[in-house]
Amino acid sequence: LDVLTLGEHLAMRGEKDEVGGDDYLVELLSNTPSSANTEAYAHIVMERAQQRHWLAVLTQAREKFLQVTCPDPVAAAEALLATLEAKHGKARFVSLRDTLKAEVARMEHQHDNPGITGLQTGYHNIDHRLGGLQNGELLIVGARPSMGKTAYALNVMRQVALQKMVGSVLVYSLEMTGGALAQRLIAAQAKIKKDLLRSAKVFDHAESAARLFPAVQALVDLDLHICDQPGVTVREIRSMALGERRRRPVRLVVIDYLGLIEHEGRERSTADQIAEVTRTLKRLARELGCPVMLLCQLNREVDQRANKRPVLRDLRDSGAIEQDADVVQFLYRDEYYNPDKTQHPGQVEVITAKCREGEIGTDYLTWQGQYQLMESNSIYDKAAEPAWDY
């Protein structure tokens, strides 16, 4: 269809002059979109649709602040914004050709630059076993109480933050206050007894006091942020982390611990609630492009066995924990169970029971409980020859 064929058709029907004649037909043609620009027109439609959706969501977010029944309007608004990111993200298919090229380039770079590819924990054997903490992975650290899982996580995040790479370390402390975590960080950094910090008697001990201020100075400028609000939901954790990512990159997320995350929809079973938590945190690791470390308590059945070293089935309440995790580590201290008979006093076993991209096995750290500090064990920890259990 063009001006000539349409004009001829209208002339045969005696309607050409009624519609405005040739002048109108030419004007009509000039105002008609061209099929050659269909893609550009489609982008305009999509942009307008996205803008309408943004306006609708922002209106919903505004209404949250006006609802007296909404307990946390800020978290609710951030959650709504997160849905926009998911809906209007840049998800796309990538050809196998491009994927293979990128993987070969990665291997070539790794060959030319051997070493740890992920975030370094400061523990050589563990770094060699895992290749460092890998971006986009969910790491589960499980233990019975008093095994030192919080101390382990704090030492890892302290070492990561001290590397002073670009990006934040986010810590959700659902059990301890920010002040208690700060005490532990200072104790580990300065090797000052935690009791001296808690009672403020550190100033009565000249040697400890001399180590206090250099340790605080080393920690004060770290890009490390603590949320010690109890009873947060996994949705709020995700919303806060994505909100932080909009301001700056995020390098590591630590959550202490799984059992204290508030569940929504209490009519569901505990297993389903935990599955939602681990699934959401695994997705969060992918969205942030950083490791997420989640601490969890183990079943009491561990204490009833002769061999009290944890295994995967000891993960509490849900098989989804093992399923969603990329790495599962357990902590075990023989000294805790056998204080008079142990042959390994002051030793922590870090049992890697699952590792998608590496080897499972046991590594060893030295436990200094008075400082809340775990250090590499010189007997077992040789960077040139890792003590891996195959």
Side-chain angles (χ1 to χ4, degrees):
L1 186 68
D2 57 22
V3 172
L4 293 178
T5 57
L6 179 58
E8 183 68 16
H9 175 74
L10 293 172
M12 292 177 61
R13 294 170 58 92
E15 298 174 350
K16 187 174 183 180
D17 292 336
E18 294 181 22
V19 303
D22 290 331
D23 292 340
Y24 175 73
L25 295 181
V26 172
E27 179 184 353
L28 186 65
L29 177 64
S30 64
N31 292 329
T32 301
S34 168
S35 59
N37 293 326
T38 300
E39 184 175 356
Y41 302 148
H43 281 296
I44 293 173
V45 174
M46 291 173 61
E47 288 175 2
R48 296 296 186 272
Q50 289 183 6
Q51 289 173 4
R52 288 194 301 274
H53 188 204
W54 269 92
L55 289 172
V57 171
L58 290 174
T59 299
Q60 294 178 43
R62 177 179 179 274
E63 291 173 352
K64 295 295 182 182
F65 288 90
L66 302 178
Q67 294 175 0
V68 295
T69 57
C70 184
D72 190 346
V74 174
E78 288 187 337
L80 287 168
L81 294 177
T83 64
L84 283 173
E85 290 185 348
K87 182 176 180 62
H88 300 301
K90 297 182 178 179
R92 59 188 179 87
F93 287 109
V94 179
S95 70
L96 178 60
R97 176 189 295 272
D98 292 340
T99 303
L100 290 173
K101 288 172 61 177
E103 180 61 17
V104 171
R106 184 202 64 77
M107 290 188 292
E108 291 176 343
H109 181 271
Q110 178 69 9
H111 181 267
D112 296 337
N113 301 275
I116 306 303
T117 59
L119 294 178
Q120 296 184 37
T121 65
Y123 303 129
H124 300 300
N125 273 7
I126 295 173
D127 284 337
H128 279 280
R129 182 181 299 282
L130 304 180
L133 303 181
Q134 300 296 317
N135 291 336
E137 290 194 349
L138 175 61
L139 167 64
I140 300 293
V141 178
R144 290 294 294 147
S146 301
M147 291 295 107
K149 60 182 179 298
T150 299
Y152 176 72
L154 287 178
N155 278 276
V156 168
M157 74 184 193
R158 180 172 61 90
Q159 292 292 341
V160 169
L162 284 169
Q163 295 170 33
K164 294 188 175 180
M165 300 168 62
V166 176
S168 303
V169 176
L170 308 181
V171 184
Y172 296 86
S173 178
L174 311 185
E175 183 176 30
M176 298 183 184
T177 65
L181 291 186
Q183 285 183 13
R184 290 188 172 214
L185 288 170
I186 295 171
Q189 181 70 22
K191 290 190 176 181
I192 298 174
K193 291 183 178 180
K194 189 181 65 171
D195 293 343
L196 294 181
L197 294 172
R198 185 172 58 247
S199 64
K201 292 182 179 180
V202 61
F203 300 108
D204 298 330
H205 299 260
E207 293 184 3
S208 296
R211 296 195 301 273
L212 173 62
F213 293 105
V216 171
Q217 190 61 40
L219 296 171
V220 71
D221 292 326
L222 297 184
D223 195 356
L224 194 154
H225 305 272
I226 300 170
C227 170
D228 61 357
Q229 179 68 36
V232 297
T233 66
V234 70
R235 179 177 61 85
E236 291 169 329
I237 290 173
R238 178 174 177 269
S239 175
M240 291 174 62
L242 292 176
E244 185 68 20
R245 197 271 308 274
R246 285 192 286 269
R247 291 183 283 273
R248 61 176 65 84
V250 177
R251 292 168 50 210
L252 174 66
V253 176
V254 178
I255 304 167
D256 185 12
Y257 61 93
L258 172 61
L260 295 180
I261 296 176
E262 190 73 17
H263 296 298
E264 298 174 310
R266 296 182 180 276
E267 67 279 359
R268 293 179 299 169
S269 68
T270 300
D272 288 341
Q273 292 172 344
I274 290 177
E276 180 184 0
V277 170
T278 56
R279 184 168 57 246
T280 300
L281 293 179
K282 171 57 182 175
R283 184 176 66 179
L284 178 62
R286 295 287 303 274
E287 291 173 324
L288 297 176
C290 76
V292 172
M293 177 184 288
L294 175 63
L295 310 188
C296 71
Q297 297 273 26
L298 300 182
N299 289 317
R300 291 188 178 89
E301 284 76 6
V302 177
D303 297 338
Q304 309 304 319
R305 298 197 301 259
N307 184 352
K308 296 176 174 56
R309 289 173 175 81
V311 293
L312 288 172
R313 67 174 177 271
D314 295 319
L315 290 169
R316 177 177 287 177
D317 295 324
S318 177
I321 302 176
E322 177 187 350
Q323 174 182 313
D324 294 329
D326 298 283
V327 177
V328 177
Q329 292 183 326
F330 298 120
L331 304 184
Y332 173 79
R333 291 196 298 120
D334 191 66
E335 182 179 28
Y336 176 81
Y337 289 107
N338 305 291
D340 300 323
K341 299 180 181 179
T342 183
Q343 298 180 358
H344 307 287
Q347 177 178 286
V348 179
E349 297 180 24
V350 181
I351 304 167
T352 301
K354 177 182 178 180
C355 185
R356 290 191 198 277
E357 304 298 335
E359 296 287 346
I360 63 173
T362 302
D363 299 290
Y364 304 90
L365 303 177
T366 298
W367 170 243
Q368 300 182 58
Q370 70 274 31
Y371 306 138
Q372 292 297 301
L373 178 64
M374 291 185 187
E375 293 185 313
S376 295
N377 191 320
S378 59
I379 297 176
Y380 298 95
D381 183 17
K382 300 178 181 179
E385 186 181 354
W388 292 357
D389 294 338
Y390 292 113

